[in-house]
Amino acid sequence: MFRNREIRQFLVLFLVITAVAAIVGFIIHPAAGILILIVATAFGSTFFMFTKARYKRIAGMAEQIDLVLHNEEHLYVSESEEGELSILESEITKMTLRIREQNDALKRDKKHLADSLADIAHQLRTPLTSANLILSLLKNTAEENERMGLLRETEELFVQMDWLITSLLKLSRLDAGIVVFQKERMEVNHLIREALCSLLIPMELHNITLQLDAPEGMEIWGDLAWLSQAIQNILKNCMESVGDDGRIEIICTENPLFTEIMIHDSGEGFEKEDLPHLFDRFYRGKSAGAAGYGIGLALSRMIIIRQGGTVTAKNHPRNGAVFSIRFSK
């Protein structure tokens, strides 16, 4: 307490005033001087006790702040009293809780980043290992047809890696909040055809039948480029599910509440334990034959939600999987 300069200055001034008053009192009458000393002593003692108590509370608040700064698991809760110090204690308690929440969030983000980096490294290592193996085989392969087949496989691996890196960059941009979506009116029919543009040839090569029911004039608001990417990722998932000679059905409907894009494939559907995690990042399914990188559906969900829509997936009562994308009106 006495380290405070203001307290020292007050003490010096108080002693000077007391001494002067006591001298004047003794000059007037000895009893007056004694009375002044008694009153000054009582006042000084009372002031000292109250000041000491206040500084003790301030020291407690300083200790609390220090504990928070050093990430100690400690929470200070002030007593329910009135006054400026109690208000300050209450604000410090709120600050403590807020800082602790932020620290916990930072720890979760740090762990998520570490896990994501590990997943990304694993995802990239798989096609890289395959590409290195194929390149080693090329060195020892003299037959031309065999070499051409290995080169095609290598090209496909690099295409996969390019898609993977592009998707990861898009995810990181969305996570960082630096993507600004364009808000424009678009026809659902045009959106679906944009998403299908690069998939029609692969569908034809795998003999996948496509049925599209998207009436003209049906419109939604959003970013055409990003939404077509989201729908394209879902369609790619359906194509992987149906394989050769499969069937994909796209039906667009609307009502006074929302516009819906439903995508139904003729594949085997989802395992029951996979349903809650289909849109989780890097989730690849429990079945041994699960393919892909676990990024496409996560990216689609993030794009759709950021533009005010919802996306769900379930098994069709008859067969296959059903994706439902809805945009409120």
Side-chain angles (χ1 to χ4, degrees), residues 153-318:
E153 288 184 34
T154 306
E155 184 180 2
E156 290 177 2
L157 285 171
F158 283 120
V159 169
Q160 292 177 18
M161 288 180 62
D162 178 69
W163 179 87
L164 174 61
I165 292 170
T166 301
S167 298
L168 290 171
L169 288 173
K170 289 178 178 178
L171 276 173
S172 64
R173 290 178 63 199
L174 290 169
D175 284 337
I178 60 176
V179 175
V180 179
F181 292 113
Q182 301 297 318
K183 202 71 173 176
E184 57 185 357
R185 186 182 293 275
M186 71 187 83
E187 285 204 12
V188 176
N189 186 286
H190 178 56
L191 171 64
I192 300 299
R193 295 190 183 281
E194 281 290 317
L196 285 168
C197 186
S198 62
L199 301 178
L200 292 176
I201 293 177
M203 283 184 178
E204 186 176 348
L205 291 174
H206 291 279
N207 196 31
I208 296 175
T209 303
L210 174 66
Q211 180 181 342
L212 175 60
D213 182 7
E216 298 287 345
M218 190 182 298
E219 296 181 333
I220 59 172
W221 285 87
D223 190 304
L224 176 62
W226 282 97
L227 283 178
S228 63
Q229 172 73 67
I231 295 173
Q232 187 179 96
N233 289 344
I234 294 174
L235 288 170
K236 285 180 179 178
N237 187 89
C238 294
M239 290 172 63
E240 292 173 2
S241 177
V242 301
D244 294 336
D245 304 317
R247 186 170 180 271
I248 295 177
E249 182 181 18
I250 305 174
I251 301 176
C252 303
T253 57
E254 63 178 343
N255 58 43
L257 297 178
F258 57 80
T259 300
E260 181 179 35
I261 301 171
M262 189 199 71
I263 303 173
H264 171 217
D265 67 51
S266 61
E268 296 180 356
F270 305 112
E271 297 291 337
K272 185 177 180 180
E273 60 268 28
D274 292 337
L275 285 171
H277 308 287
L278 290 174
F279 296 98
D280 291 351
R281 196 172 302 186
F282 302 116
Y283 186 80
R284 299 178 62 181
K286 300 296 184 182
S287 60
Y293 299 100
I295 293 178
L297 292 182
L299 179 58
S300 295
R301 180 178 182 272
M302 186 175 289
I303 293 171
I304 292 168
I305 288 178
R306 292 286 178 87
Q307 298 193 61
T310 62
V311 57
T312 58
K314 62 181 180 180
N315 287 320
H316 195 274
R318 291 193 300 273

Side-chain angles (χ1 to χ4, degrees), residues 65-77:
I65 294 173
D66 185 66
L67 289 172
V68 173
L69 292 175
H70 288 85
N71 295 320
E72 294 290 338
E73 292 296 329
H74 176 75
L75 177 61
Y76 179 80
V77 180

Side-chain angles (χ1 to χ4, degrees), residues 57 78-79 81-91:
R57 292 177 67 181
S78 62
E79 297 179 0
E81 298 178 1
E82 296 182 357
E84 289 79 4
L85 278 181
S86 295
I87 295 173
L88 180 59
E89 287 175 331
S90 177
E91 293 302 316

